[in-house]
Amino acid sequence: SGRALVHPVDLRAILARIVQLLEVRAGEVNTVICIDHLDRLPQVRMAEGDAEQLFFSLIENLICFADGKERHHVEVSGVVNAHHVELRFTGDYGLGDEEGSDLSAGHLVTPESAGKGVDCGLCVASDIVTRADGSIRRESAADARPTFVVVLPIAGQVAIQGD
């Protein structure tokens, strides 16, 4: 069946594996992946495979927008906020906002909005975050740096996650 064991996961360890997988791809487009402040984060409650897919999808999505001409950075950082962990995935280049897009800055990313002409990785990411009782939204700073903000619950007890 489509059930996954949900338990506390170490974000830093999972991210280190995913960054290692994506380093070559990032290097091909002159991009470096930076990890900042994840060593201080508590574990979150979700399926480990989902955490891997989430990180891969969001980082790969940001790498896809690098032009390869200039040196770029994709930064993953995190903070504890109340009973949640907030992860920020940021590229150092502009994506621009399509007028009327559900993925414009400040909007929540849902499977419906992510499926509208955007990389299917965002649809996967949205589905994973929803299953983990979290949220995902896109923000853009004044300098138009794209940022995806993922909010996930801090680990508690073991649970079973179904479709």
Side-chain angles (χ1 to χ4, degrees):
S1 118
R3 301 171 82 116
L5 182 62
V6 175
H7 57 87
V9 295
D10 180 349
L11 297 173
R12 174 103 178 147
I14 292 171
L15 183 61
R17 289 194 307 260
I18 298 306
V19 167
Q20 189 174 20
L21 284 173
L22 288 171
E23 277 179 330
V24 171
R25 167 76 177 102
E28 291 171 352
V29 291
N30 203 14
T31 300
V32 176
I33 304 167
C34 306
I35 303 170
D36 194 20
H37 300 299
L38 291 187
D39 54 336
R40 296 183 238 150
L41 295 180
Q43 295 179 329
V44 299
R45 180 178 41 84
M46 66 188 310
E48 187 168 330
D50 280 356
E52 291 170 345
Q53 281 188 300
L54 174 66
F55 287 163
F56 188 93
S57 296
L58 291 174
I59 294 169
E60 174 67 11
N61 186 278
L62 289 169
I63 289 171
C64 285
F65 288 97
D67 61 16
K69 296 174 186 171
E70 298 178 24
R71 182 73 153 182
H72 291 289
H73 295 84
V74 169
E75 182 179 323
V76 182
S77 61
V79 296
V80 177
N81 189 356
H83 299 289
H84 295 86
V85 169
E86 182 178 289
L87 301 170
R88 301 179 74 81
F89 297 79
T90 304
D92 67 351
Y93 35 81
L95 290 180
D97 277 341
E98 295 178 31
E99 194 163 324
S101 169
D102 287 340
L103 284 178
S104 59
H107 283 85
L108 287 175
V109 178
T110 64
E112 295 77 26
S113 66
K116 293 182 179 176
V118 179
D119 184 339
C120 68
L122 290 182
C123 187
V124 170
S126 175
D127 186 50
I128 289 168
V129 171
T130 300
R131 282 197 312 263
D133 295 325
S135 65
I136 181 172
R137 69 184 183 277
R138 177 173 167 210
E139 292 181 351
S140 290
D143 59 3
R145 292 173 27 152
T147 299
F148 292 98
V149 180
V150 174
V151 178
L152 296 167
I154 293 175
Q157 56 191 18
V158 174
I160 299 293
Q161 182 181 75
D163 291 318

